[in-house]
Amino acid sequence: LSPIKRLSLDVAIGNPAAASYISPPPGYDPPATHRADPIGRNYAIEHREEEKNARYRTLLGAAAVADPAAFVPFAMTATGCISAKATRFLREEVLRDDNSRSTRARTELNTKL
């Protein structure tokens, strides 16, 4: 028998057009790759992801939240952008599953990631 793998996944959606994401709070220092983000997309994803991390740190513990095999904060924007952690989950867990019933769906998802 194979061991049972337990994964907690929580979805969060942020609207990058919301005023709170267009004008991030004072002191927010985005990574260099995000500084050219005119509509708050990256901040919306980061904020929603960190909200999930903070909530689950109290529930699962810091070690579990840091382990992508135990917890995935599946953050995305209302416009369809997804976080790096969500993308990694889709690639490593969903797309590698050979038991997928739809080859066409797997192929389409793989080309969009």
Side-chain angles (χ1 to χ4, degrees), residues 25-107:
Y28 172 70
D29 186 27
T33 57
H34 294 187
R35 290 200 174 103
D37 182 17
I39 59 168
R41 179 184 69 231
N42 293 311
Y43 179 67
I45 287 175
E46 291 169 4
H47 179 257
R48 299 298 293 152
E49 191 173 84
E50 185 48 41
E51 280 185 333
K52 294 299 180 183
N53 286 335
R55 176 177 290 159
Y56 280 86
R57 267 187 215 102
T58 61
L59 296 171
L60 303 174
V65 170
D67 179 2
F71 175 67
V72 177
F74 199 99
M76 56 190 304
T77 66
T79 56
C81 296
I82 63 174
S83 70
K85 289 180 181 179
T87 301
R88 187 177 324 116
F89 170 77
L90 290 173
R91 281 195 174 128
E92 294 177 5
E93 299 299 327
V94 176
L95 292 178
R96 76 174 180 160
D97 182 8
D98 292 331
N99 295 323
S100 176
R101 295 179 187 211
S102 173
T103 304
R104 179 175 171 226
R106 287 179 65 217
T107 303

